[in-house]
Amino acid sequence: MITLRKTTGQTDMIKLSKASKMPCRSWSLQALTTCPASKDSDGELVDACKGCYATTGNYRFPNVKAPREHNQEDWQRDSWVDDMVSELDNDRYFRWFDSGDMYHIKLAHKMLEVMQRTPWVKHWLPTRMHKFDKFASVINDMQALPNVVVRLSSDSITGGIIAGETTSTIVPTPDHATVDMTVCGAYDRAGKCGTCRACWDKDTQVIAYPAHGRAMIKLVELAA
């Protein structure tokens, strides 16, 4: 379940969301339309994006799409960074993008500034934008911050691992995870993170997310 959070006062343009699974709030964009790295060189969706959860269920509702579409314009405001920093004053954990990605290099640099100016917040950024060379420098600057984990997403749905300090992949079932992976335990807890903070932990190199959702499970079965 996605709960919309619209702030008031100084930061009344900032619109954050709170997924029921997550222990924190997030700032998101519309899936796929802001995910240039979701497509391969032939223009086809990569396997991990074909079954994207953020294109199904509650994510299809107009009231859920609206703040994500708003955010795509809102980040371009001159005061957006200041407003985000103010909004995160009481947050201790934060997730960027429960849907969408940092599709524009200017957005990435603004996000970096937010991260730099909120050292009390542990930021987790899952992204596929590592595929584009122009994002390498800003991703490295983000990852160098002690309060930030940039978790590079693999396109695999069968446990394929990519290079990087902190990464993630999808596995058909927990039993398919290798010894060097940390399996996401949310799906043993009714889909909730609970007290787990592995995704925000720099010492957790590879997170393995078991396939879930009808579309993804079907894709995994076809790939078997």
Side-chain angles (χ1 to χ4, degrees):
M1 180 177 179
I2 303 297
T3 302
L4 306 182
R5 300 291 180 88
K6 179 179 179 181
T7 62
T8 58
Q10 180 183 0
T11 58
D12 61 359
M13 297 297 290
I14 300 297
K15 295 186 179 181
L16 304 180
S17 57
K18 177 68 167 65
S20 58
K21 169 188 175 182
M22 304 298 298
C24 65
R25 302 189 294 173
S26 61
W27 186 88
S28 301
L29 299 170
Q30 191 64 13
L32 300 185
T33 58
T34 60
C35 302
S38 66
K39 296 182 179 180
D40 61 23
S41 58
D42 295 327
E44 296 293 325
L45 287 176
V46 300
D47 288 344
C49 296
K50 289 177 182 177
C52 178
Y53 65 85
T55 61
T56 62
N58 290 346
Y59 285 90
R60 297 174 297 176
F61 297 162
N63 67 315
V64 176
K65 289 182 177 181
R68 287 157 173 74
E69 293 169 346
H70 163 88
N71 288 344
Q72 191 169 347
E73 299 296 326
D74 187 53
W75 72 263
Q76 301 176 58
R77 291 187 295 113
D78 291 341
S79 62
W80 183 80
V81 170
D82 290 339
D83 289 348
M84 281 292 293
V85 171
S86 177
E87 176 62 22
L88 295 178
D89 184 56
N90 293 315
D91 291 68
R92 294 300 175 263
Y93 288 89
F94 190 73
R95 173 178 177 172
W96 293 91
F97 306 114
D98 62 73
S99 65
D101 207 338
M102 55 177 186
Y103 68 103
H104 200 293
I105 192 66
K106 290 184 178 179
L107 170 60
H109 281 289
K110 283 193 171 186
M111 289 169 55
L112 171 61
E113 185 176 350
V114 172
M115 294 168 178
Q116 291 169 328
R117 291 174 55 185
T118 55
W120 61 88
V121 180
K122 289 186 178 294
H123 296 264
W124 162 34
L125 167 61
T127 185
R128 284 190 166 77
M129 297 308 290
H130 58 86
K131 296 179 182 181
F132 302 110
D133 291 342
K134 67 179 180 179
F135 284 85
S137 177
V138 68
I139 287 176
N140 288 338
D141 288 345
M142 289 174 173
Q143 190 73 303
L145 294 172
N147 61 319
V148 177
V149 170
V150 182
R151 202 162 285 284
L152 310 182
S153 300
S154 168
D155 292 336
S156 175
I157 59 175
T158 56
I161 298 176
I162 58 174
E165 292 181 24
T166 47
T167 69
S168 68
T169 188
I170 296 171
V171 290
T173 70
D175 291 339
H176 288 82
T178 59
V179 294
D180 53 347
M181 297 178 184
T182 297
V183 178
C184 173
Y187 308 106
D188 288 329
R189 295 186 293 269
K192 299 184 184 298
C193 295
T195 59
C196 179
R197 300 293 182 270
C199 292
W200 288 267
D201 185 356
K202 284 181 177 289
D203 292 331
T204 304
Q205 184 176 4
V206 184
I207 299 283
Y209 299 109
H212 63 286
R214 292 180 182 178
M216 182 60 70
I217 290 174
K218 183 176 182 180
L219 286 169
V220 167
E221 291 173 348
L222 291 173

